[in-house]
C-alpha cells in the first residue's frame, strides 16, 4: 500500500505527480527544483542559492514523512552544467554527515524542468 506525501512547505507539483510516495518504510521523492513553495517563483540567483532552495524543499518533503536527511539512502542529482558540480556539491554536503551520507549519482543533462540548473530526488527509509 502506498501513502501520498504532500506538504505546503515544498512547492506544489506542476504536473501529474506527488511530492513523494511512502511505500512501507521507503519514501520515494519526486525531483525538487528551486521553486519557492509560497510564491512558486524560481530561486535561481546563483547556483549555490538555487541548490540551497532545492535542498530546503527536499527537507520539507522528508519532514512531511517524519524523516530527515539521515534517512536518505540514495540521491540522484541532475545538473545542466557539470562545471557547477563543485558548488552544488558544497551546498548539498552541508545537509549530510559525510560518514553516513547516502549513495548518489550526479548526471549532466541537456535540460531540466523550467530550464533550471539542478534537480534532486531521493529515496529514504525509516
Amino acid at each position: 500500500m502506498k501513502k501520498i506525501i504532500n506538504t505546503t512547505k515544498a512547492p506544489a507539483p506542476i504536473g501529474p505527480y506527488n511530492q513523494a510516495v511512502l511505500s512501507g518504510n521507503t519514501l520515494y521523492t519526486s525531483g525538487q527544483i528551486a521553486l519557492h513553495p509560497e510564491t512558486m517563483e524560481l530561486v535561481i540567483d546563483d547556483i549555490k542559492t538555487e541548490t540551497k532552495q532545492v535542498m530546503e524543499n527536499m527537507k520539507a518533503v522528508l519532514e512531511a514523512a517524519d524523516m530527515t536527511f539521515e534517512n536518505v539512502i540514495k540521491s540522484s542529482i541532475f545538473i545542466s552544467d557539470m562545471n557547477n558540480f563543485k558548488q552544488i556539491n558544497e551546498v548539498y554536503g552541508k545537509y549530510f554527515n559525510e560518514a553516513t551520507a547516502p549513495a548518489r549519482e550526479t548526471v549532466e543533462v541537456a535540460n531540466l524542468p523550467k530550464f533550471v540548473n539542478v534537480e534532486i530526488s531521493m529515496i529514504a527509509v525509516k
Side-chain angles (χ1 to χ4, degrees):
M1 178 160 263
K2 67 181 182 180
K3 177 181 178 186
I4 303 302
I5 304 297
N6 279 307
T7 177
T8 58
K9 295 180 181 178
I14 55 175
Y17 63 91
N18 288 291
Q19 293 167 336
V21 175
L22 184 64
S23 178
N25 292 330
T26 305
L27 182 73
Y28 301 89
T29 73
S30 293
Q32 287 293 320
I33 61 174
L35 285 169
H36 190 281
E38 293 175 11
T39 65
M40 292 298 286
E41 296 291 324
L42 287 171
V43 180
I44 54 174
D45 302 332
D46 59 72
I47 193 63
K48 286 185 175 183
T49 303
E50 182 174 352
T51 304
K52 183 174 192 282
Q53 184 64 56
V54 171
M55 294 301 287
E56 288 297 313
N57 292 344
M58 189 60 66
K59 180 180 177 183
V61 172
L62 290 167
E63 288 175 349
D66 295 320
M67 295 191 195
T68 70
F69 286 107
E70 282 298 311
N71 295 98
V72 176
I73 60 168
K74 178 77 165 41
S75 293
S76 298
I77 302 176
F78 303 95
I79 61 178
S80 62
D81 184 350
M82 197 57 78
N83 291 314
N84 289 328
F85 176 80
K86 183 177 178 181
Q87 293 173 304
I88 292 167
N89 200 48
E90 183 180 317
V91 174
Y92 171 94
K94 292 178 181 178
Y95 290 83
F96 293 99
N97 174 340
E98 194 168 325
T100 60
R104 179 183 87 184
E105 74 244 341
T106 303
V107 181
E108 182 180 61
V109 296
N111 289 303
L112 289 164
K114 296 191 174 278
F115 301 99
V116 297
N117 299 298
V118 60
E119 178 176 7
I120 300 175
S121 65
M122 297 180 179
I123 300 171
V125 177
K126 277 190 182 184

